[in-house]
Amino acid sequence: KLLLPAEGEGRNAVFAAIVGWDVHAIDMSEKGRKKALMLASENKVSIKYDVCPIQDCEPTENEYDVIALVYAHFPPHIRTIIHQKLSKSLKPGGTLLIEAFNKTQLGKKSGGPQALELLYSIDEMKSDFAGFEFIEATETTIALSEGEYHKGAAEIIRIIALKK
């Protein structure tokens, strides 16, 4: 069972459903939900997709095998609260996956927030997910080609961690 917070238009959710995951997506955009459900229908899969601001959602404790935060950037005053809430919804031994823009992405035209406080560092993520065993936590440069606003070299962090 996979949770995808801040899922947007559902490309990750639909891909995961195609390869066999039971997917629960959350986002604050009704328009994103409609696009995601249309994409799921076109691909003959189903996904659960709730519309709610992530800070207001209350996922069930110990429900998910995997949580994937894919470019899910939150303001610092709610980031840690959201991450702790999401941690509780992951089963013990469950996997946390994060791919997010690094603080060194600031000023680049390849996407991501253009406010330093909305970009992440590995140390911030390790602090937010302190009860996890970090299998991988890396900073790297990738080439994005995800449409007009996400194209070019991008500075990201990638994390794989297990809930203890």
Side-chain angles (χ1 to χ4, degrees), residues 1-3 58-67 84-95 132 163-164:
K1 202 167 186 186
L2 169 66
L3 177 62
E58 295 293 337
T60 306
E61 284 192 32
N62 300 319
E63 183 173 357
Y64 300 99
D65 300 293
V66 176
I67 295 175
Q84 289 173 353
K85 189 183 294 190
L86 292 172
S87 294
K88 291 177 184 175
S89 71
L90 191 62
K91 294 176 183 175
T95 302
F132 285 70
K163 183 177 179 182
K164 294 180 185 176

Side-chain angles (χ1 to χ4, degrees), residues 87-108:
S87 294
K88 291 177 184 175
S89 71
L90 191 62
K91 294 176 183 175
T95 302
L96 171 69
L97 303 173
I98 299 173
E99 181 156 321
F101 289 107
N102 190 338
K103 290 188 179 291
T104 57
Q105 177 68 9
L106 188 65
K108 295 189 184 280

Side-chain angles (χ1 to χ4, degrees), residues 9 14 32-44:
E9 296 180 0
V14 170
R33 178 182 181 274
K34 286 179 183 176
K35 286 184 175 184
L37 294 178
M38 186 182 315
L39 184 61
S41 177
E42 290 168 4
N43 284 277
K44 297 177 177 49

